[in-house]
Amino acid sequence: MTVPMLKIGAVLSTMAMVTNWMSQTLPSLVGLNGTIISSEGTHERIISGLYPGSEEGWQVYSTASDPDGRCVCTVVAPARNLCKRDPRNRQLRLLTEQVQNVSQSMEVVDLRTSRDLQYVRDSEPLLRGVDGRLHTYVANPRVLTTKGLQELKGQMSQLRPLLSVVEQYRLDLQTLTTLRTELLNLSIILTAIQEEIGAYDYEELQQRVLLLETRLHSCMNKLGCGRLTAVSNPITVRASGSRFGSWMTDAMIPSSDSRVWSMDGYYKGRRVLEYRTMGDFTKGQNFVQHLLPHAWAGTGHVVYNGSLYYNKHQSNILVQYHFRSRSVLLQRSLSGAGYNNTFPYSWGGSSDIDLMADETGLWAVYTSIPNAGNIMVSRLDPRSLDVLQSWDTGFPKRSAGEAFMICGTLYVTNSHLAGAKVHFAYHTNTSSYEYTDIPFHNLYSHISMMDYNPRERALYTWNNGHQVLYNVTLFHVIRSDG
C-alpha cells in the first residue's frame, strides 16, 4: 500500500512543479508577464492581397533639403502588417503552440492521475483487509482454511486492476521526463529570442509598429496623389463570366461602402450583380441583382458615391443609376463623342467611352471626329454630368489597349494583349505628356477593362474571364516645414 501512494505523490508533486514553472518562468523569459500572445488575425477585405510583399512596402528612397532648408523625403505606397512577417514573430507563435501542446499533455496526465488516485482510495479498505489476512496466515498457518483461501483469491482478483494503474504511473513518469526535456529546450530558445529582441515586451513593440503603420497610412491618405512608377504582379481574385466585362468597388473617397459590382459582357447588357463584400464576390455568394432600364455599351463603367455611371447602348449618352433607389437619376449626352465602335480601344468591344474616377473626381475618356480620333479627357460634374474641362492628349485612341486616371494623370497602355505596358501619360494639371515604360504582367493575355480605384490604390482589371488586381507604386514627395 505504501509504494503506490508514494508513486502517486511523486506524480502529483512533479506536475505541480512543472505547472508552476510554466506559469512563472515562461512569461518572464520573453518579457510577456501579464500579456497573452494572440493568434494571427484575418482580414475580410482584399487589402491583404493588394500588398503581397515587403518589396512593395513603405520605402524611403531619398532625403534631402530644399533651398529653404526644409526636409524633402521621397517614399512609395505602403504595405500592411509588416510586423507579422517578422520571422521572430512567427518563431514566437510556433513556440507558443508548443507550450500549449505541452500544457494539454500535462492536463491529460493530471486528469488520468486524479481518476486513478480515486480508484486507489476506493481500493484502500480492500488492500487493508488482504494485508491483515496475509499477516494472520503468516503468523499462524493453521488458521488457513479452504474457504479462507478462496476468499483471499477473490480479494486478490479484485485488486488485480491496480497492477495496470501502477504501470500507467510508470509510463506517466516517463512522459513527464520527456515534457521536462521539451520545456528545457523551449526555455533555451525563448531565452535566445529575448536576448535578440532585448528587454522590451515583444507584443508592446508589435502594437507600436501597428500604430506607426496606421499613422503612415493616414499620412498617405492625406498626401493623396503621386506619380505612377510601377505596377505589381497580378493578383487573381476570381475567375467568372465571359471573356469581356467589368467589376469595381465604389471609387469615392472617403467611403465605407464595401460592396462589389460585376457586369459581364460589353454589348446590350443590363444585369448588374451586387455583392455585399469582396469576400462574398470571391466566393460568388450573398449578391443581389439590378436590372438596368437601359442597356450598356463597352466596359468603361464606374461606381462613384453609390451610383453607377455608364454609356447607354448605341449612343453617346451617359447614365447615372442609383443603386439604393434602383432608379436612373440622370442622363446626358457627351457632346461629339464617338460611339458604337467608332473610336474604341484596340480590342474593340464598343469601348468608345470610358468613364473612370480618381482622387480628383469623375472623368470621361473618349474621342470625336474633330479630334481626329485622338484621346480626349474630360472632367465631369458627378451631379449634373456637365463637362467641366477637357484636354486633347494627342494620342490615337485606337492605338491604346486601355487607359486609367491616377491623380489627374491619364495613363495609357500600348496593348490589351501579352507584353503590354503603360506607354503614355498625360498630365492634366500641366497639359503636358510624356512617354513611359512601365511594364506589367498581362497574366491571361486579354484585358478588356482596366480602372484605378483611389480608395484601394489598386488597378481593377477584367482579363479573359478573370478578375485581377494590381497594386501600384506611387512616387510621393513629402515636404515638411518642421
Side-chain angles (χ1 to χ4, degrees):
M1 175 61 201
T2 305
V3 174
M5 295 301 292
L6 285 175
K7 288 186 176 180
I8 294 169
V11 171
L12 294 177
S13 175
T14 302
M15 289 183 62
M17 290 168 57
V18 176
T19 303
N20 184 63
W21 184 88
M22 289 181 64
S23 63
Q24 295 183 11
T25 308
L26 287 181
S28 62
L29 284 173
V30 289
L32 294 178
N33 303 71
T35 65
I36 300 174
I37 300 178
S38 60
S39 60
E40 183 174 355
T42 57
H43 300 276
E44 295 181 358
R45 297 183 64 203
I46 200 69
I47 292 295
S48 59
L50 295 181
Y51 305 100
S54 58
E55 69 277 7
E56 296 168 9
W58 277 94
Q59 301 173 37
V60 177
Y61 278 172
S62 65
T63 59
S65 298
D66 64 10
D68 298 325
R70 294 174 300 183
C71 177
V72 178
C73 302
T74 304
V75 300
V76 295
R80 291 180 182 266
N81 302 323
L82 291 175
C83 188
K84 291 183 180 179
R85 292 195 290 268
D86 189 325
R88 292 173 296 182
N89 181 280
R90 181 175 179 274
Q91 194 175 14
L92 275 176
R93 290 200 308 273
L94 293 176
L95 290 173
T96 302
E97 292 174 2
Q98 293 180 34
V99 171
Q100 291 173 346
N101 292 336
V102 170
S103 300
Q104 291 173 358
S105 299
M106 293 186 63
E107 288 177 2
V108 171
V109 173
D110 182 37
L111 290 173
R112 189 165 54 230
T113 302
S114 300
R115 179 198 63 193
D116 293 343
L117 177 60
Q118 185 60 45
Y119 179 79
V120 171
R121 286 173 175 168
D122 294 341
S123 302
E124 188 173 357
L126 185 59
L127 274 171
R128 292 185 182 279
V130 171
D131 185 61
R133 284 195 172 198
L134 288 175
H135 277 87
T136 299
Y137 295 152
V138 170
N140 188 5
R142 296 179 180 180
V143 300
L144 180 62
T145 63
T146 302
K147 180 181 178 182
L149 183 60
Q150 293 296 327
E151 290 178 351
L152 182 60
K153 286 183 178 179
Q155 290 175 332
M156 293 297 292
S157 297
Q158 295 179 42
L159 292 173
R160 189 169 292 127
L162 280 176
L163 294 175
S164 62
V165 173
V166 173
E167 177 64 20
Q168 186 61 57
Y169 286 160
R170 186 180 66 83
L171 295 175
D172 286 347
L173 285 173
Q174 294 177 357
T175 301
L176 287 172
T177 301
T178 302
L179 292 177
R180 274 182 166 177
T181 302
E182 290 184 15
L183 290 172
L184 180 61
N185 293 335
L186 286 174
S187 69
I188 294 172
I189 297 173
L190 289 170
T191 302
I193 293 176
Q194 184 190 25
E195 291 176 354
E196 182 181 357
I197 295 176
Y200 296 102
D201 185 320
Y202 191 78
E203 185 159 318
E204 179 184 349
L205 288 175
Q206 186 180 34
Q207 292 302 319
R208 290 172 62 186
V209 170
L210 293 176
L211 177 61
L212 287 173
E213 285 185 354
T214 301
R215 291 174 62 185
L216 286 172
H217 278 277
S218 176
C219 177
M220 183 189 74
N221 291 332
K222 291 177 180 178
L223 287 173
C225 282
R227 179 171 296 190
L228 180 67
T229 58
V231 178
S232 77
N233 288 326
I235 304 161
T236 301
V237 177
R238 186 184 177 193
S240 66
S242 64
R243 189 179 189 185
F244 311 98
S246 61
W247 70 295
M248 64 219 78
T249 56
D250 198 318
M252 179 71 175
I253 299 177
S255 175
S256 59
D257 197 336
S258 61
R259 292 176 292 172
V260 180
W261 293 270
S262 175
M263 301 168 69
D264 190 11
Y266 70 84
Y267 183 73
K268 296 178 66 174
R270 293 179 60 198
R271 191 172 74 125
V272 182
L273 298 184
E274 175 188 301
Y275 296 84
R276 185 170 53 87
T277 64
M278 183 67 77
D280 290 333
F281 174 75
T282 303
K283 298 174 184 176
Q285 64 185 21
N286 294 331
F287 64 86
V288 296
Q289 177 178 292
H290 296 267
L291 193 62
L292 301 177
H294 309 292
W296 71 68
T299 59
H301 327 301
V302 65
V303 175
Y304 190 76
N305 197 24
S307 289
L308 171 69
Y309 294 84
Y310 70 95
N311 176 207
K312 188 176 179 180
H313 176 61
Q314 289 190 335
S315 73
N316 59 10
I317 294 175
L318 308 182
V319 180
Q320 179 188 7
Y321 174 84
H322 190 250
F323 284 115
R324 298 281 185 200
S325 64
R326 292 178 175 265
S327 63
V328 172
L329 300 184
L330 190 61
Q331 296 187 67
R332 184 175 293 275
S333 173
L334 186 59
S335 180
Y339 61 92
N340 200 26
N341 270 332
T342 303
F343 297 109
Y345 289 126
S346 61
W347 63 273
S350 298
S351 56
D352 302 75
I353 298 175
D354 192 359
L355 300 173
M356 55 191 70
D358 68 354
E359 292 84 351
T360 62
L362 185 65
W363 300 84
V365 172
Y366 60 100
T367 191
S368 64
I369 293 176
N371 293 103
N374 292 331
I375 292 178
M376 290 287 297
V377 182
S378 292
R379 186 172 179 183
L380 305 178
D381 183 340
R383 294 166 296 184
S384 64
L385 290 178
D386 289 336
V387 174
L388 303 177
Q389 190 175 354
S390 297
W391 295 262
D392 184 345
T393 66
F395 192 93
K397 192 166 187 290
R398 286 183 175 273
S399 298
E402 272 290 340
F404 54 91
M405 296 289 296
I406 298 180
C407 300
T409 295
L410 178 72
Y411 294 94
V412 181
T413 69
N414 64 341
S415 173
H416 62 283
L417 301 174
K421 61 183 178 180
V422 180
H423 175 66
F424 177 84
Y426 186 88
H427 309 289
T428 59
N429 61 336
T430 59
S431 299
S432 62
Y433 69 89
E434 63 177 315
Y435 287 95
T436 60
D437 186 10
I438 305 174
F440 63 93
H441 183 28
N442 188 346
L443 183 59
Y444 303 105
S445 302
H446 196 287
I447 293 176
S448 59
M449 167 259 179
M450 191 174 209
D451 270 340
Y452 172 71
N453 186 294
R455 286 175 56 201
E456 306 292 358
R457 304 215 169 207
L459 293 173
Y460 283 60
T461 67
W462 189 290
N463 195 336
N464 214 356
H466 297 79
Q467 291 71 54
V468 181
L469 288 169
Y470 294 87
N471 181 31
V472 296
T473 300
L474 302 181
F475 182 91
H476 299 281
V477 176
I478 306 174
R479 291 182 173 86
S480 172
D481 292 331

